[in-house]
Amino acid sequence: MSNTIYIEYNFSVTPLQPGSDILIAELGEVGFESFLENEDGVLAYIQKNDWNENILETVEILDSELFKVSFELKEIEQENWNATWEQNFEAIQVADQCVVRAPFHEKPNVQYDIVIEPKMSFGTGHHETTHMMLQFILENDFEGKDVLDMGSGTGVLAILAAMKHANHIDAIDIDNWCYLNAKENVERNNCEHISVFEGDSSLLGNRKYDIILANINRNILLADISVYADNLKENGTLFLSGFYEEDISLISETCLKAGLKFEKNLQKNNWVAVKYVF
């Protein structure tokens, strides 16, 4: 892993919002796997092995008359990632109960103090979808529950679920770097009841959960909602994010076919997180 080469794109976006959010969503669809937002736009990363010179051809915002987007690109070795994110990573607070911070930040006086070293993984709490999923976890009862964190990234959602006394949590991500990083973060936060796996929904088998958290993207969610429903216990809860407000009707329609009912949604800069009950 230490010799992995990434291509870093430094995007300037005007107007910044919702331009940066749209750009991140579209870049995720073509294979970019990690993002850092800044005051000018977005730093986006893709493994050199997955990159080609035409990678941006289907990124529609680049041709939109509503936004002005420019970029520069360079190669970056993965071992230099820490220096990159430390320059951009600030601690974030969710409500007045939870702080997500790096090891070099001062320890806060909050109920849930989560220490994350994201490296090349997604899910520091800065993105709206992660922030809203953390908010949902804070608002709901996790004590004694069996939980699945699907598309776990850094493992931050699984870690907060553990801090809220979930019985056991499975954290799954298809990306090897996310898998390794989540294992590190789970250990860093002394979470003994989290098992981390590398893979996709095919790993679930007949395992049943009280709560499933899935912060991925619209297309993967639509493909896997029926799988999540099959793996929920009676009266289970499904929390979804990674899509826009205009996608709620399509997501909810698919959930309804799987026996899940819409209960509540949160919204932040056109991104949404939605709660469904079985």
Side-chain angles (χ1 to χ4, degrees):
M1 293 300 295
S2 60
N3 295 323
T4 301
I5 303 297
Y6 276 78
I7 305 296
E8 176 193 85
Y9 279 75
N10 188 349
F11 290 95
S12 295
V13 185
T14 306
L16 190 61
Q17 292 296 348
S20 291
D21 289 339
I22 295 171
L23 177 62
I24 288 171
E26 294 189 359
L27 292 174
E29 294 291 337
V30 298
F32 284 78
E33 62 183 58
S34 190
F35 308 95
L36 282 171
E37 297 184 67
N38 56 40
E39 60 185 12
D40 297 316
V42 177
L43 296 173
Y45 298 87
I46 185 171
Q47 290 191 38
K48 187 175 181 180
N49 290 340
D50 297 329
W51 177 85
N52 65 75
E53 61 184 13
N54 300 316
I55 193 74
L56 301 181
E57 278 189 354
T58 60
V59 179
E60 296 180 359
I61 191 174
L62 299 181
D63 298 318
S64 171
E65 296 180 356
L66 301 176
F67 302 95
K68 180 180 179 181
V69 182
S70 60
F71 63 87
E72 299 176 347
L73 68 154
K74 65 180 182 182
E75 290 188 4
I76 179 171
E77 292 190 16
Q78 196 168 62
E79 64 188 17
N80 296 326
W81 171 248
N82 281 0
T84 301
W85 72 260
E86 283 182 14
Q87 294 172 7
N88 294 273
F89 183 61
E90 297 180 359
I92 66 113
Q93 184 160 337
V94 183
D96 58 356
Q97 301 169 269
C98 176
V99 167
V100 182
R101 64 181 176 93
F104 55 82
H105 289 131
E106 184 177 349
K107 181 177 175 61
N109 182 24
V110 293
Q111 186 174 5
Y112 305 109
D113 174 30
I114 302 176
V115 182
I116 293 294
E117 191 165 353
K119 298 185 178 179
M120 294 302 291
S121 302
F122 180 80
T124 60
H126 288 77
H127 194 270
E128 287 87 344
T129 58
T130 311
H131 192 282
M132 288 184 292
M133 292 292 273
L134 290 168
Q135 186 177 338
F136 261 143
I137 295 173
L138 290 173
E139 291 177 358
N140 287 270
D141 179 21
F142 277 69
E143 186 163 1
K145 307 292 187 182
D146 290 323
V147 178
L148 169 66
D149 179 8
M150 197 72 210
S152 53
T154 60
V156 63
L157 301 183
I159 291 167
L160 182 56
M163 289 180 174
K164 291 204 67 183
H165 306 295
N167 177 54
H168 181 80
I169 307 102
D170 288 333
I172 300 176
D173 201 292
I174 197 170
D175 180 79
N176 178 259
W177 189 251
C178 292
Y179 161 74
L180 295 174
N181 185 218
K183 286 176 69 70
E184 294 174 2
N185 289 324
V186 165
E187 183 176 350
R188 180 175 288 109
N189 289 272
N190 300 312
C191 296
E192 298 179 355
H193 302 295
I194 300 176
S195 299
V196 183
F197 302 95
E198 181 181 354
D200 56 21
S201 60
S202 65
L203 295 179
L204 297 181
N206 297 319
R207 175 79 176 176
K208 295 291 186 180
Y209 301 93
D210 299 291
I211 297 172
I212 295 178
L213 308 161
N215 180 18
I216 311 179
N217 66 54
R218 189 192 72 166
N219 292 339
I220 293 177
L221 293 176
L222 288 172
D224 283 351
I225 282 171
S226 61
V227 179
Y228 303 151
D230 288 341
N231 287 272
L232 271 176
K233 297 179 183 180
E234 186 176 355
N235 300 317
T237 305
L238 175 65
F239 296 97
L240 301 178
S241 195
F243 52 95
Y244 293 116
E245 182 182 14
E246 53 265 31
D247 296 320
I248 290 180
S249 59
L250 181 58
I251 294 287
S252 293
E253 179 183 345
T254 305
C255 284
L256 186 61
K257 291 178 181 177
L260 294 154
K261 296 180 293 183
F262 171 90
E263 184 166 292
K264 179 181 180 180
N265 74 274
L266 304 175
Q267 181 177 346
K268 192 174 177 65
N269 294 331
N270 201 40
W271 292 95
V272 291
V274 189
K275 177 182 180 180
Y276 297 94
V277 292
F278 201 37

